[in-house]
Amino acid sequence: MNTEASLRKERADVIRNRAKILHAAEVHFGSSGVGASLEAVARAAGVGPATLYRHFPTREALLAALLRIHRDRLLARQRELDELSDAGEALRGWLLGLEEYFGLFQGISEPLVAAARSGDTDHPLAGSCQELISATDRYLTSAQRDGRARPDLDGLDLFIAVSAVSWIAGTGTADTASVAKLRTLFEFGYLTE
Amino acid sequence: MNTEASLRKERADVIRNRAKILHAAEVHFGSSGVGASLEAVARAAGVGPATLYRHFPTREALLAALLRIHRDRLLARQRELDELSDAGEALRGWLLGLEEYFGLFQGISEPLVAAARSGDTDHPLAGSCQELISATDRYLTSAQRDGRARPDLDGLDLFIAVSAVSWIAGTGTADTASVAKLRTLFEFGYLTE
DNA sequence: ACCTGAACACCGTTCAAGT
DNA sequence: ACCTGAACACCGTTCAAGT
C-alpha cells in the first residue's frame, strides 16, 4: 500500500515539474520566441537541464506541448466560423485566426512549415500541423464548392501561405502596412469573384 | 620611402586577409546558410576571430560584402529583361531572378527583410536592400503603366513577397510543388488581366 | 596599424552520481 | 524511477599582448 502512496507522490512530482517547465517555456517563448534558451527555461522552472530534456527530448516536443494547451482557442474560433453562411468569409476568417495563432510565439512558422513540408508523421510537430492543415482543408473545400476559392489549391498551400505572412510579421514591428498588403496580395490570389 | 614600402606591404596583408575571409564565408554560408559559425569561417580563412570582427564588425556586414560580389549577376539579368517588350513579363522575370538571388545563401531572406522593414538607413544591409527594392520598383512601375500589375502596390511589397517565397523554399527540399504554388498564388495577386 | 590567441560568458546536450 | 549538477564541446565577442 505504501507502494501506491509513493507512486502517487512520485507522479505528483513529475506532474508538477512538467507544469513548471511548460509555464516557464510559455513565458520565455512568448517573450523571446521559440528559439529561447532551453537552459534559461529550465532555470526559470527551477529544474536541472536534464529534467527538461527528459520531459521534452527536443525543442519541438516542448513547442508541441505548448501548442496543445492553446488548442481550445482554435476550436472556439471554428465554432464561431461555422455559423457564417458565406464560405469565402469563413475561409478568410479561419486564415486570419491561424495567423493570430502563429503570433503566439515568434518564430513558430519555421518549425511548423518544416514539419508540414517534410511529410514526416513522426515529427514532434506533425500532430499540430495535421490538425491545422485539416481544418484549413475543410474551410477551403467549402469555399471551393461555392466557387469562392480557386480550385487548384489545397489546405497545405494555404497553410504555407499563412505561415509566410506570419513569418513576415515576425521580422519587424515598425512597419505594419507591409504585412497587411502581403495578406491582401494572398487574398487576391486564392479568393475568386 | 620605406614607409611607402611597408605601407604597401601592410595593405597587401589586409587585402589578402579580407579576401580569405570572404572566400571562407562564401563557402560556409553557401553550405550552412547565413547562420554559419563565424568562428568556423575565421578558422577556415586561417585568421583569428578578432581579425574577422575587425574587418566585418557584424554578421550582416559580412553578408553585405558577399552580396556586393554577386551584384554583377543581377545587373546582367536586368540588361536581359530590359529587352522584353511586355512589362508584365519583365516584372515576373525580375521577381524570379530575385528569388534565385535569394537562393544563394539559405536564410538570407530574414536579415534582408528585417533591414528593409526597419527603414534604418545605417543598417549594414540597407544598401543591398535599397538596390533590390529600387529595381523592383522600376519593373513594377512599368508594368503598372501598361495595366499589367495592380496599382496599389510598391516595390517593397513585392520585395517582401519574394522574400517570403524564398523563405518557404529554404524550409525544406522534399516538397518543391508547394513553393511553385505559393509563387503562383502571388502572381495571381499582383498581376492583372 | 594590424594580428594573434587566450579569455569570458553563454548555450545545447549528456552522464555519473545521488534519492 | 526520477532528479541533480557537473561536464564536454561549441559559439559569439572582446582584450591584452605581440609584430
Side-chain angles (χ1 to χ4, degrees):
Chain A
M1 35 201 136
N2 81 343
T3 59
E4 203 188 349
S6 71
L7 186 68
R8 200 151 38 195
K9 190 187 168 293
E10 277 170 352
R11 277 193 180 168
D13 253 44
V14 171
I15 290 171
R16 211 180 318 132
N17 273 338
R18 200 187 136 89
K20 284 193 294 182
I21 292 169
L22 282 172
H23 180 252
E26 173 88 28
V27 171
H28 275 69
F29 282 14
S31 62
S32 315
V34 297
S37 159
L38 294 183
E39 199 187 347
V41 169
R43 214 160 34 224
V47 302
T51 303
L52 186 150
Y53 279 90
R54 169 179 297 278
H55 281 272
F56 306 102
T58 64
R59 173 181 242 102
E60 280 77 22
L62 176 53
L63 183 55
L66 283 181
L67 288 182
R68 218 167 299 134
I69 293 175
H70 289 286
R71 182 193 289 178
D72 46 354
R73 277 192 223 175
L74 271 175
L75 295 178
R77 161 86 58 163
Q78 281 183 261
R79 254 178 272 119
E80 226 178 276
L81 291 170
D82 290 345
E83 312 260 315
L84 290 178
S85 55
D86 184 332
E89 278 310 303
L91 173 60
R92 218 166 69 130
W94 167 252
L95 295 182
L96 281 171
L98 199 55
E99 193 187 325
E100 219 174 87
Y101 186 72
F102 284 173
L104 278 174
F105 309 110
Q106 209 206 352
I108 211 181
S109 305
E110 177 137 12
L112 277 176
V113 170
R117 290 191 62 208
S118 77
D120 177 9
T121 53
D122 289 337
H123 191 285
L125 287 170
S128 310
C129 285
Q130 187 52 44
E131 193 178 17
L132 299 172
I133 294 171
S134 295
T136 306
D137 237 336
R138 196 160 71 80
Y139 290 105
L140 175 60
T141 304
S142 278
Q144 285 169 331
R145 204 164 20 213
D146 287 10
R148 296 283 285 118
R150 304 197 67 87
D152 56 338
L153 296 169
D154 59 26
L156 177 60
D157 298 327
L158 293 188
F159 175 81
I160 288 176
V162 171
S163 303
V165 175
S166 292
W167 174 74
I168 288 291
T171 57
T173 51
D175 157 36
T176 56
S178 287
V179 179
K181 284 220 204 149
L182 185 69
R183 192 163 37 228
T184 306
L185 209 57
F186 270 130
E187 287 175 356
F188 276 121
Y190 70 79
L191 290 178
T192 53
E193 233 150 303
Chain B
M1 35 194 136
N2 81 343
T3 58
E4 204 188 349
S6 70
L7 186 68
R8 201 152 36 195
K9 188 186 168 295
E10 278 171 350
R11 276 194 180 166
D13 253 43
V14 171
I15 289 170
R16 211 181 318 130
N17 274 337
R18 198 188 137 90
K20 284 194 293 182
I21 292 170
L22 282 173
H23 180 252
E26 173 88 29
V27 171
H28 276 69
F29 282 14
S31 62
S32 315
V34 297
S37 159
L38 294 183
E39 199 188 348
V41 169
R43 213 161 34 225
V47 302
T51 303
L52 187 150
Y53 280 90
R54 169 178 296 280
H55 280 272
F56 306 102
T58 65
R59 184 184 294 276
E60 280 78 22
L62 177 53
L63 183 55
L66 283 181
L67 288 182
R68 218 167 302 133
I69 293 174
H70 289 285
R71 182 193 289 178
D72 46 354
R73 277 191 223 174
L74 272 175
L75 295 179
R77 161 85 59 165
Q78 281 183 261
R79 254 177 272 118
E80 227 177 277
L81 291 169
D82 290 345
E83 311 260 315
L84 290 179
S85 55
D86 184 333
E89 279 310 303
L91 173 60
R92 219 167 67 130
W94 167 252
L95 295 181
L96 282 172
L98 200 54
E99 194 187 325
E100 219 175 88
Y101 187 72
F102 284 172
L104 277 174
F105 309 110
Q106 208 207 353
I108 211 181
S109 305
E110 177 138 11
L112 277 177
V113 170
R117 290 191 62 208
S118 76
D120 177 8
T121 52
D122 288 338
H123 191 286
L125 287 170
S128 310
C129 286
Q130 187 52 42
E131 192 177 20
L132 298 172
I133 295 171
S134 294
T136 306
D137 237 336
R138 198 159 70 80
Y139 289 105
L140 175 60
T141 303
S142 277
Q144 285 169 331
R145 203 164 21 212
D146 288 11
R148 296 284 285 119
R150 303 198 68 87
D152 56 338
L153 296 170
D154 60 26
L156 176 60
D157 296 328
L158 293 188
F159 175 81
I160 287 176
V162 171
S163 302
V165 175
S166 292
W167 174 74
I168 288 290
T171 60
T173 52
D175 158 36
T176 56
S178 287
V179 179
K181 284 220 203 147
L182 185 69
R183 192 164 37 228
T184 307
L185 209 58
F186 270 130
E187 286 175 357
F188 276 122
Y190 68 79
L191 291 178
T192 53
E193 234 149 301

